[in-house]
Structure formats: structure tokens, C-alpha cells
């Protein structure tokens, strides 16, 4: 699922004899408690201060070393060996609305990062294992997650009982003038491991949204971020009209993310102001959240909200969980209600359909 955490960066001056370089504040802004929340931060580093990431360590407010992956994001032009921007990837528990303080220290890292992250090239696809989560990404015919398994015990065993996504032909799509264009129809798309570290990795897919006959519309680039020890992933999706004739605009009737789950008797929960809206789905049934305007939304389907559109903005909107027993998938879209008209739909076949527009 996609979760969002607010970051506040405070640069402080400290005496030369101290080890602390900068204090970093992580604030939970959505009012939702997090466990093992992935955090990525960027820190500007003075010219000539450090040339090697092994000189840094991350500590909590009590001085305990936090497992952290450090990356050189940029170097100074005046000194090509000097780090200009340092990126940090780590995970933390944080209570709802809590602010936690960490300290970036300049001292040789005295801890070994224990990683359960594995990336394998299977030829036609990549297989990523984080510990509790395993999923595959196709190199051609990109359909987001081709298959996925979740095992909360994280003992390295993944069977059909743990499978939450079976191979499919959905993923990101565009509806234009009654024709549906899928990224999964592009057999010339590419996928690469853009970055792999001990605690995180990034898979990048490039291709086009195409109809069944191969006619293309938008160029799409998708990045999937996975984290060691986490069952959560982050997906960043962008699209671009690359038609050589700039007057050939695309009529966009719908932009969707469709993910079919490997479930037969699905139960759902939607995030909503005042608490969850939950239920179960039998054959032919659906449930949905529809964002009418920036301040108007309505639940429908088996939720049967036939009254006037609600008019409360809420950070809970955009969350949905679809599951069967102990396995399932949760999805959250950042800024869903700000991008109206939009929707989140689930149905009895196990399909999660996020209407981005």
C-alpha cells in the first residue's frame, strides 16, 4: 500500500566537539499510527565536510544507532569527492500525530545493516523479496505487480495460500473515447533495477499505454519502491503525451490503476471520517468511494449511501483494504480528494480499481 509521512528538516549549529551534525524531525500528519514506516530524507552537506557515506550514522533521541541506508545524491562541483546531498532510508514506528527526533552523526558507522531484501533477475521478470512480501515485476507488458505473496511470519516460505495477486493483464490504464489503453499491452516496455541497497530498492518501468491493436497514447514511467522487512511498497506513476504532433491532444475519460486480487470471498474496509466503512461482497456486488468535487464525496454500492454527497475533507479518504481471511491488499492514493473527479472501487471478483481521474 502507499502511505505518506510528513518530513520536517531542521538544520542546527553544534559545537565542533559534538558528534551530532543535524537534527531530523519526522512528524506523523495523517493521525494514523505507523509501524516500521519507511522514511526517506535528504540532507544538504557542506562543501568538504565528507566524501564517504561510511562516515555517517543515524541515532534516535536516546543515542541508539538506527539501521539506515546512506546514499550520495549529489556532489559539489568545486570538489567532486565531496558529498553535497545525502539521502537517508530508514524505518520507524511512530504514533498518530507524534513527532520523533533523530540525529545524523559524523562518526564511522559501527553497525552492520541486517537486510532481508532480495532482488533476482528471472529473465522475463524481476522477483523482489522483502521478508514478509514477495512480488514479481514483468520487464515487458508491465502490469504493476504480476504476482504477489504475503507471509506475515516472514520465514521465507511463500505458497499458494499466501498469494494475494495472480498473473493478470490489468495495471495502469487510460480510457479515451470508449477505448481502454493498458500498459500491459506494451510488449516493448522495459523494466530495470534503478537502485538496490541493503534496505531499499527501486524498480523502474518505461513504456506506453496501448489498446488491444497496439495503438499507443501516453508514455508512462512507474517506479516501485520496496523496503527490507516491510510488507509495504510505494508506487510513483507519471504519464506524458509524447506525440510528435503537439496538436494531437489526448481525450482523457479515465485514468485508472486496476489490481485484481487472488480472493474469492472478499471483505473490504474504506477509510472514512469518523471510522472505517466495512462489509463483505457476494457475486456481482461492489462498493466504492466517489469524489465529486474537492469537498464532496459519497460512498456507494453495498454501502448504499443514497443521501446527499458528504462535504468533509479527511486524510482517511483514499484508503481501502480488500482481503480474504488473513491475506489481502491495502491501497492508499496520495491527494485523492484533491484530484477530483476520482474514485476507489472494489468488487466481488477481487478487483481494486483506483480512478485517478
Amino acid at each position: 500500500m502507499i502511505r505518506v509521512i510528513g518530513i520536517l528538516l531542521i538544520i542546527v549549529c553544534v559545537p565542533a566537539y559534538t558528534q551530532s551534525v543535524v537534527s531530523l524531525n519526522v512528524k506523523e500528519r495523517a493521525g494514523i499510527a505507523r509501524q516500521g514506516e519507511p522514511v526517506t530524507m535528504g540532507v544538504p552537506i557542506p562543501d568538504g565536510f565528507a566524501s564517504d557515506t561510511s562516515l555517517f550514522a543515524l541515532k534516535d533521541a536516546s543515542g541508539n544507532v538506527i539501521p539506515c541506508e546512506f546514499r550520495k545524491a549529489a556532489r559539489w562541483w568545486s570538489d567532486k569527492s565531496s558529498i553535497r546531498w545525502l539521502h537517508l532510508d530508514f524505518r520507524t514506528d511512530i504514533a498518530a500525530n507524534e513527532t520523533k527526533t533523530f540525529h545524523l552523526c559524523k562518526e564511522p558507522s559501527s553497525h552492520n545493516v541486517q537486510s532481508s531484501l532480495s532482488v533476482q533477475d528471472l529473465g522475463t521478470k524481476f522477483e523482489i523479496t522483502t521478508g514478509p512480501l514477495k512480488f514479481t515485476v514483468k520487464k515487458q507488458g508491465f502490469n504493476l505487480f504480476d504476482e504477489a505473496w504475503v507471509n506475515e511470519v516472514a520465514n521465507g516460505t511463500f505458497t499458494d495460500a499466501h498469494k494475494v495477486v495472480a498473473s493478470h493483464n490489468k495495471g495502469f490504464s487510460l480510457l479515451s473515447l470508449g477505448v481502454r489503453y493498458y500498459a500491459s499491452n506494451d510488449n516493448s516496455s522495459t523494466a530495470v533495477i534503478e537502485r538496490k541497497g541493503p534496505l531499499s530498492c527501486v524498480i523502474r518501468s518505461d513504456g506506453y499505454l496501448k489498446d488491444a491493436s497496439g495503438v499507443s497514447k501516453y508514455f508512462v514511467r512507474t517506479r516501485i519502491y520496496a523496503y527490507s522487512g516491510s510488507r509495504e511498497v510505494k508506487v510513483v506513476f507519471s504519464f506524458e503525451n509524447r506525440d510528435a504532433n503537439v496538436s494531437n491532444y489526448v481525450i482523457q475519460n479515465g485514468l485508472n490503476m486496476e489490481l485484481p486480487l487472488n480472493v474469492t470471498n472478499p471483505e473490504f474496509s474504506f477509510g472514512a471520517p469518523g471510522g472505517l466503512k466495512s462489509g463483505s461482497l457476494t457475486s456481482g456486488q461492489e462498493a466504492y468511494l466517489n469524489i465529486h468535487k474537492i469537498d464532496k464525496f459519497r460512498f456507494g454500492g453495498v454501502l448504499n449511501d443514497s443521501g446527499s454527497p458528504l462535504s468533509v475533507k479527511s486524510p482517511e479518504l483514499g484508503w481501502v483494504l480488500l482481503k480474504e481471511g488473513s491475506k489481502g491488499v491495502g491501497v492508499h492514493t496520495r491527494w485523492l480528494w484533491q484530484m477530483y473527479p476520482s474514485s476507489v472501487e472494489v468488487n466481488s471478483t477481487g478487483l481494486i480499481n483506483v480512478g485517478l481521474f
Side-chain angles (χ1 to χ4, degrees), residues 286-288 298-307:
E286 65 176 357
Y288 61 85
R298 174 183 285 144
F299 288 96
V302 298
L303 293 174
N304 196 27
D305 179 9
S306 59

Side-chain angles (χ1 to χ4, degrees), residues 154-206:
N155 59 5
T157 300
F158 296 95
T159 67
D160 286 345
H162 302 112
K163 181 175 282 190
V164 291
V165 178
S167 188
H168 59 93
N169 60 354
K170 298 293 185 179
F172 287 106
S173 70
L174 164 74
L175 178 65
S176 180
L177 297 176
V179 178
R180 182 68 68 172
Y181 299 79
Y182 283 95
S184 58
N185 287 334
D186 186 2
N187 291 322
S188 61
S189 63
T190 61
V192 297
I193 303 300
E194 190 171 57
R195 173 172 59 80
K196 166 65 171 67
L199 295 183
S200 64
C201 71
V202 182
I203 306 96
R204 190 190 78 209
S205 172
D206 290 341

Side-chain angles (χ1 to χ4, degrees), residues 39-53:
V39 179
T40 298
M41 307 186 77
V43 179
I45 303 297
D47 191 359
F49 186 79
S51 60
D52 197 321
T53 58

